[in-house]
Each structure stands twice: as C-alpha cells, then as structure tokens.
C-alpha cells in the first residue's frame, strides 16, 4: 500500500500577520508533488494564509469546537473552518489535553464533528515521559485512538490522519528514535487493522516531536511513518521546506 506522505506544520500560538505571506511565498515553487503539505496557523491568520498559499498546500486549524454553531462564546465550529477553506483540523493535541483538560471523549467528539463538516481530522496521540517510563506507552496511545473507534467505528478513520506525538519529544529537542516511533506506529495501525484492515492500510500516520531538517529523513523512511506533524520547525520556511523534501 503506497500512501502519499503528508507534512503538516502546526504553528501553535506563534507568528504574526507577516509570517503567512513570508512562508507562503517561500513554499511557492519549492515543494515536490510527491508529498502533501499543510499548514495550521492560529485562527486569526487562517484567511491570510489560505489566500497566500500556493495551490495544493492544505490549510488546517489547530482545534475545533465539539458543537455545531450556536451559543458557545469563544469557540469556532467545524463548519466555519470548512467555510474558510480548511481541509484539515488537529484534534487532541497534547497541549490541549494537558493545559485545557481535554479528555479522550471530548477529543473524539471534536474528531466526529470535524468529519461531519467534511474536514480531515488529524488526531494526536502520545504518552508523557512518566507514562513511557512506567511502560504504559502502548496502552495510552491505543486507548486514545480507540475512544474514537468506540464512538464511531473504525471506519471513522477513513479519510482521517493519526499523529503520534510523544509528549516528552514535543519542543524538547528529544525525538523518538526511528525504531521507537515505528514500533508505536505499527502498533496503532495493527490495532485498527483488526477491525478495518483496508482503512488501516490507507490511513496516514504522522510522527511529531522535535522533527527538524536533520532528523526527518530516517524517521520518514520507516514503513509506517507517513510524514510528520511539525511544530517549531514549521515557523522557519527553509527548515520546513527541507523537512517536506525529506518526506518525498
Ligand atoms: P515540535 O516540532 O516543536 O516539537 O512540536 C511538535 C508538535 O507538537 C506538533 O504538533
């Protein structure tokens, strides 16, 4: 099964208006057709970035409300994101789980809302350092994925993306080794394959956590790593382009 690699940049709460134009200009003409690329800026910059991005580069948001339009002050609906031209939305990022108390159930609701609006959810899973040291990595990441399966069936991962982001590797300069990451990716795909083998075979599984231009290639060379979810390095055009090139 060949899966087109995807490299998605997550700007987190960084950047100013000018960054959208700067990165979009740098990406124009610099990307291979063998890799899909997406950028997820903060909400206020979605429109500017969407207008500036070269054709073929996807726009994504970093979060979404679990409700449809209505009285939810401060929230943004999946339909609004679709209306602004988003193709992707990240759900369940570890920073949302850790700082805003998002539970597996809430994340599953967001995932399903995104799908209902025609968006491609990028579901983040990953263990903390404490969980890894306690030997709980497999149980934690499988549970995070299975909450969605239990809510909507394994078919919900048709046209969805899963991102394995070990929490201890995010923004720390530490990465999982290619072999460590591959082992978790193979476990996730294998678990999904038990109920939906075709969906599992097609699903793109991204690795995230301190991916840089100089460590991306061996990660992306693993059989079950289909690209990356890039934080800090997606704010620097040259670095991000080099990571995209490493994927295809
Ligand atoms: P860094 O690449 O900055 O470690 O962030 C990874 C991440 O959390 C992407 O969602």
């Amino acid at each position: 099964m060949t899966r087109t690699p995807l490299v998605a940049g997550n700007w987190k709460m960084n950047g100013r208006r000018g960054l959208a134009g700067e990165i979009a200009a740098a990406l124009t003409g610099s990307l291979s057709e063998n890799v899909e690329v997406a950028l997820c800026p903060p909400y206020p910059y979605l429109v500017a970035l969407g207008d500036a991005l070269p054709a073929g580069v996807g726009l994504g948001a970093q979060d979404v409300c679990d409700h449809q339009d209505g009285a939810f002050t401060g929230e943004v609906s999946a339909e609004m994101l679709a209306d602004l031209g988003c193709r992707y939305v990240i759900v369940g990022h570890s920073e949302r789980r850790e700082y805003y108390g998002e539970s597996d159930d809430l994340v599953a609701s967001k995932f399903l809302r995104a799908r209902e609006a025609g968006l491609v959810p990028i579901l983040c899973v990953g263990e903390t350092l404490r969980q890894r040291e306690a030997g709980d990595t497999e149980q934690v990441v499988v549970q995070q994925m299975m909450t969605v399966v239990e809510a909507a069936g394994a078919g919900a991962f048709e046209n969805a993306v899963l991102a394995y982001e070990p929490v201890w590797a995010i923004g720390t300069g530490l990465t999982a080794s290619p072999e460590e990451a591959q082992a978790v990716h193979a476990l996730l795909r294998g678990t999904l394959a038990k109920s939906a083998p075709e969906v599992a075979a097609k699903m793109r599984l991204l690795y995230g956590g301190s991916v840089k231009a100089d460590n991306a290639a061996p990660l992306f060379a693993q059989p079950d790593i289909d690209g990356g979810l890039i934080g800090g390095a997606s704010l620097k055009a040259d670095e991000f382009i080099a990571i995209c090139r490493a994927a295809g």
Side-chain angles (χ1 to χ4, degrees):
M1 164 66 62
T2 49
R3 295 175 291 268
T4 304
L6 171 66
V7 177
N10 172 10
W11 288 4
K12 309 193 179 184
M13 197 170 73
N14 292 298
R16 289 291 180 269
R17 228 187 309 194
L19 187 65
E22 193 189 304
I23 298 232
L27 291 182
T28 304
S30 306
L31 299 172
S32 144
E33 286 183 358
N34 303 328
V35 53
E36 274 181 47
V37 175
L39 281 176
C40 305
Y43 289 137
Y45 304 133
L46 278 169
V47 172
L49 186 63
D51 286 348
L53 280 176
V57 177
L59 185 67
Q62 300 173 14
D63 189 23
V64 66
C65 184
D66 60 320
H67 292 278
Q68 293 187 352
D69 293 347
F72 299 96
T73 301
E75 292 291 316
V76 175
S77 72
E79 284 74 13
M80 291 173 185
L81 297 178
D83 186 40
L84 294 183
C86 286
R87 187 183 311 156
Y88 299 98
V89 61
I90 297 170
V91 296
H93 192 280
S94 64
E95 289 148 17
R96 300 294 319 167
R97 296 177 189 264
E98 183 179 350
Y99 306 138
Y100 301 96
E102 293 196 6
S103 65
D104 288 350
D105 286 337
L106 176 63
V107 171
S109 301
K110 291 183 173 198
F111 181 104
L112 299 178
R113 283 273 38 255
R115 276 184 52 93
E116 278 164 21
L119 300 170
V120 176
I122 301 176
L123 172 69
C124 297
V125 302
E127 81 287 4
T128 63
L129 185 58
R130 190 136 60 90
Q131 289 165 332
R132 171 160 280 255
E133 286 174 350
D136 291 340
T137 299
E138 286 79 5
Q139 187 247 318
V140 168
V141 298
V142 167
Q143 177 61 41
Q144 289 171 335
M145 179 181 77
M146 288 308 288
T147 307
V148 171
V149 173
E150 281 150 21
F157 281 93
E158 177 111 51
N159 213 6
V161 176
L162 191 58
Y164 170 53
E165 298 206 306
V167 179
W168 50 270
I170 294 177
T172 58
L174 301 171
T175 45
S177 70
E179 296 74 23
E180 280 171 333
Q182 165 59 25
V184 175
H185 284 222
L187 170 77
L188 289 165
R189 197 185 303 283
T191 303
L192 194 68
K194 285 184 200 152
S195 38
E198 283 174 24
V199 173
K202 276 197 288 184
M203 180 180 67
R204 284 181 297 188
L205 245 160
L206 312 185
Y207 170 79
S210 297
V211 177
K212 307 280 183 249
D214 62 5
N215 63 19
L219 285 160
F220 297 164
Q222 297 296 317
D224 287 293
I225 301 184
D226 309 308
L229 186 53
I230 317 301
S234 71
L235 297 163
K236 298 176 215 136
D238 290 353
E239 182 89 10
F240 186 63
I241 290 166
I243 293 170
C244 295
R245 292 205 176 126

